[in-house]
Amino acid sequence: MSAAHPAPAAETVEALIRHRLSVALGGWRGSVETALPTLVFVVAWSVSDHDVKVAAVAAVAVALVLAVLRLVQRSSLQHVGGAVFATAIAAFFALRSGEAQDAFLPGILTSVGFLVATLVSIVTRWPAVGFIVGAGDPRAAEDPFGWRRDAGMVRVCIRLTWVLVAMYVVRVAVMVPLYLDERVTLLGVAKVALGWPLWVAGIAVMGWLLVSGHTPLEPGRGPAADDADASDDADEPLTGRDA
């Protein structure tokens, strides 16, 4: 069998995390699928003389079309499925109150929730980024928390999780005042700008931390143990395990 995501030889925690993050994070298409319903909501609301119902129906329709395209192409529904769900919840909030700005309330509450959760994950030493790293592990199904057995891995993931905290702080600090001022158009622009572009900025900061760090892996422990075991079964340097 050939590996779905062959891992390069990793001598440091940072090198291993770089590979795992590249496996676990989605690409540009998922980001477009997440942002497009929001843009459609704002545009439809603007051109329909601020008709919340028209805007909500248009956003949900676009999200469903994106999902159907995924089904036709037999590709993953992971990102577009989340977009359909989030759009439906946003439309429900807006239709229930009749106020367009309430379409953004679920996203704001979600950001607040993630902000609290990431802070708690740091305090409890179960950093949120560690779960993303774990998801990129070829043996995640067998040992989803293997990354926690490497103390260096936990320390690096805590530093990276602080980047997530900063991102959620920015989202809340920008979105809440706009929501309270009922600035619907700016809410739409801010939601898109603080979506994929903010993620790119956050990943860039994480990448800088990973490139500048040199935390050694602990042999025989954590996710690195599986990679080390793989080298015993081959005559070549480590290339990774089958997914």
Side-chain angles (χ1 to χ4, degrees):
M1 288 189 296
S2 60
H5 297 287
E11 297 180 355
T12 66
V13 168
E14 288 82 3
L16 184 59
I17 292 179
R18 284 200 301 272
H19 171 71
R20 295 284 170 81
L21 287 178
S22 69
V23 171
L25 296 177
W28 65 269
R29 182 174 178 178
S31 303
V32 171
E33 290 168 340
T34 300
L36 192 56
T38 297
L39 292 174
V40 169
F41 178 90
V42 173
V43 171
W45 179 79
S46 300
V47 301
S48 64
D49 196 24
H50 298 179
D51 190 321
V52 174
K53 184 176 181 179
V54 170
V57 170
V60 172
V62 167
L64 290 175
V65 168
L66 293 173
V68 170
L69 287 175
R70 284 280 191 174
L71 288 173
V72 170
Q73 296 173 349
R74 296 182 179 180
S75 58
S76 172
L77 290 173
Q78 178 182 354
H79 297 289
V80 73
V84 170
F85 178 76
T87 302
I89 295 296
F92 171 78
F93 271 69
L95 290 173
R96 183 181 181 185
S97 69
E99 301 292 339
Q101 68 270 16
D102 283 344
F104 300 91
L105 184 57
I108 293 172
L109 295 177
T110 299
S111 293
V112 172
F114 280 137
L115 172 58
V116 173
T118 49
L119 285 171
V120 170
S121 77
I122 290 172
V123 171
T124 58
R125 297 189 64 78
W126 281 80
V129 170
F131 293 95
I132 302 176
V133 172
D137 189 339
R139 305 191 67 179
E142 302 171 18
D143 189 10
F145 306 125
W147 58 273
R148 276 207 91 238
R149 292 196 296 272
D150 189 315
M153 179 77 69
V154 173
R155 288 195 302 272
V156 173
C157 286
I158 285 176
R159 290 198 291 269
L160 298 178
T161 302
W162 277 114
V163 178
L164 291 183
V165 170
M167 291 167 59
Y168 290 126
V169 167
V170 170
R171 285 181 181 173
V172 172
V174 172
M175 297 293 286
V176 169
L178 293 176
Y179 173 79
L180 295 177
D181 276 348
E182 302 180 4
R183 306 293 295 273
V184 177
T185 301
L186 288 179
L187 278 168
V189 173
K191 183 174 180 179
V192 173
L194 298 178
W196 178 243
L198 185 60
W199 264 110
V200 170
I203 294 300
V205 174
M206 290 185 186
W208 176 78
L209 292 174
L210 291 172
V211 169
S212 62
H214 302 284
T215 307
L217 286 165
E218 297 183 12
R221 302 184 65 188
D226 296 332
D227 297 332
D229 290 342
S231 64
D232 296 334
D233 301 328
D235 295 329
E236 300 178 309
L238 175 65
T239 58
R241 281 186 177 273
D242 291 345

